[in-house]
Amino acid sequence: MKLQTNILRSMEVNNKQFAVFILTYGRPEKIHTLEALEKQGYTGNIFLICSSDDKTIDQYKKKNNVIVFNKSDYKGTFDIGDNFEDDRVVVYARNAVYDIARDLNIKYFLVLDDDYKSFRYTMDGNNTYLTKQRLIKNLDKVFNKLLNYYINTNAKTLCIAQDGDFIGGEQARVFKHKLTRKAMNFFICSVDRPFKFIGRINEDVNTYVRLGTLGDIFLTIVNLRLHQLITQTNKGGLTEFYLTGGTYVKSFYTIIFSPSCVKVSILGNHKRLHHRINWNNAIPVLLDPKYKKSVK
């Protein structure tokens, strides 16, 4: 996939039209992502996005830059994918951030969860895989480059990779591709390019697969990665919901939305069920003009 990378339009992350939104629920005492941003050199605006049904909301309100939204305002505005009643999920917040950004007069924003421990380089200046990871020391500079790359593409969102993408090191499939169509955990977005997340859980995968089939572009670059706490080990957030249904239920949501290109298969040595996407069936493909039928 060829993308326009020369900077035609640019913007700084410390501009008032840019902010980082941290989606957080039930963890007011320890917001790891906030600490990581501050330690690694991010100096721009940060807002904590909380929902009114959070039992710890009063503790959150004691902090700076807290935005509270009502999940009831977003019920029925997107396909939840089931008839369950447990709303302790993040999909409402993911869809609320566009309205929040507009209310704050913010055009571009980065959406993060609250359990990220660090942001790291995956490659050195020669695009060689780093066997020993290096922490990013100036997130302002890195976020500027990511934001301006995003501005000069037509992608719905731009993401960076996560630790699990590099199982196998430089032989990992994601690293070999350098640019993939997935979109998880780290979302650079714009109010001018809105999209709806779908599904009560696995909302990120549900969305980038389903909208990918319709021609929307979701991108992850592998030059950078984020390190987060192990899923279902951090109290609060989505942990209680995931422990109820496990990855078995989670994986089937994506099949509900895209049955033609997704199946559930066994993943890794632990033999757990996980979604598997057949990208050849999932996304539109541009054919070489040489295959065009000639007209006599």
Side-chain angles (χ1 to χ4, degrees):
M1 180 187 301
K2 255 189 151 175
L3 294 169
Q4 185 178 5
T5 56
N6 56 313
I7 303 303
L8 302 179
R9 294 161 291 167
S10 62
M11 184 177 178
E12 299 294 316
V13 298
N14 55 9
N15 187 294
K16 290 183 179 180
Q17 282 191 298
F18 178 85
V20 171
F21 293 155
I22 300 177
L23 312 183
T24 182
Y25 186 92
R27 295 169 177 160
E29 73 289 343
K30 192 70 172 180
I31 305 174
H32 296 279
T33 305
L34 183 60
E35 294 181 6
L37 290 170
E38 293 172 346
K39 287 180 181 178
Q40 295 185 240
Y42 175 69
T43 62
N45 293 319
I46 300 175
F47 294 92
L48 302 180
I49 309 301
C50 304
S51 58
S52 57
D53 66 327
D54 191 332
K55 294 180 180 180
T56 63
I57 194 63
D58 290 337
Q59 293 173 255
Y60 276 115
K61 289 180 178 179
K62 296 176 183 178
K63 302 179 182 294
N64 294 326
N65 292 346
V66 174
I67 306 293
V68 181
F69 76 97
N70 294 314
K71 289 178 179 176
S72 59
D73 292 339
Y74 295 90
K75 287 191 174 182
T77 64
F78 64 94
D79 191 346
I80 195 72
D82 61 36
N83 58 0
F84 299 160
E85 296 181 358
D86 193 339
D87 291 332
R88 294 174 298 171
V89 289
V90 73
V91 66
Y92 295 101
R94 295 213 188 284
N95 288 325
V97 291
Y98 288 97
D99 290 334
I100 292 170
R102 291 187 191 97
D103 290 344
L104 296 172
N105 199 30
I106 291 171
K107 184 174 183 179
Y108 300 104
F109 51 94
L110 169 59
V111 183
L112 305 174
D113 294 336
D114 62 3
D115 57 350
Y116 304 159
K117 296 290 289 183
S118 63
F119 302 87
R120 309 177 184 184
Y121 293 106
T122 301
M123 293 185 278
D124 62 18
N126 297 317
N127 290 330
T128 301
Y129 182 77
L130 290 170
T131 54
K132 186 176 182 180
Q133 298 172 38
R134 290 195 294 120
L135 288 176
I136 298 171
K137 296 181 179 179
N138 188 338
L139 281 176
D140 276 357
K141 183 176 180 180
V142 170
F143 285 177
N144 276 335
K145 290 184 178 296
L146 289 171
L147 175 60
N148 288 303
Y149 182 77
Y150 169 72
I151 289 173
N152 288 282
T153 70
N154 60 347
K156 286 289 187 178
T157 186
L158 178 66
C159 312
I160 65 173
Q162 53 191 343
D163 282 345
D165 291 326
F166 300 98
I167 296 174
E170 60 186 323
Q171 299 303 316
R173 179 184 59 81
V174 167
F175 182 76
K176 288 181 176 180
H177 283 121
K178 299 295 187 292
L179 193 65
T180 71
R181 286 182 174 270
K182 66 184 294 188
M184 303 175 70
N185 296 301
F186 180 110
F187 303 90
I188 292 180
C189 301
S190 170
V191 294
D192 294 335
R193 308 181 198 177
F195 61 93
K196 296 280 190 182
F197 282 89
I198 54 176
R200 192 176 300 273
I201 52 174
N202 223 27
E203 77 290 334
D204 42 15
V205 183
N206 304 336
T207 302
Y208 72 70
V209 176
R210 177 58 184 158
L211 293 186
T213 66
L214 301 178
D216 286 335
I217 298 176
F218 292 75
L219 293 177
T220 289
I221 64 169
V222 302
N223 307 60
L224 309 166
R225 71 168 77 178
L226 60 83
H227 172 66
Q228 64 189 130
L229 294 175
I230 299 174
T231 303
Q232 301 180 21
T233 62
N234 193 23
K235 186 179 179 180
L238 297 179
T239 299
E240 282 69 31
F241 187 93
Y242 281 148
L243 289 175
T244 301
T247 55
Y248 179 85
V249 173
K250 174 184 174 184
S251 298
F252 275 96
Y253 274 83
T254 308
I255 293 180
I256 291 174
F257 288 105
S258 303
S260 64
C261 56
V262 182
K263 66 178 181 179
V264 167
S265 63
I266 301 297
L267 178 69
N269 294 328
H270 298 293
K271 305 297 182 184
R272 67 185 180 97
L273 287 174
H274 198 266
H275 61 262
R276 182 179 294 277
I277 303 163
N278 184 335
W279 285 107
N280 287 334
N281 295 349
I283 56 176
V285 177
L286 298 179
L287 296 179
D288 192 298
K290 69 182 181 181
Y291 296 109
K292 182 178 179 179
K293 290 183 178 180
S294 60
V295 179
K296 294 183 180 180

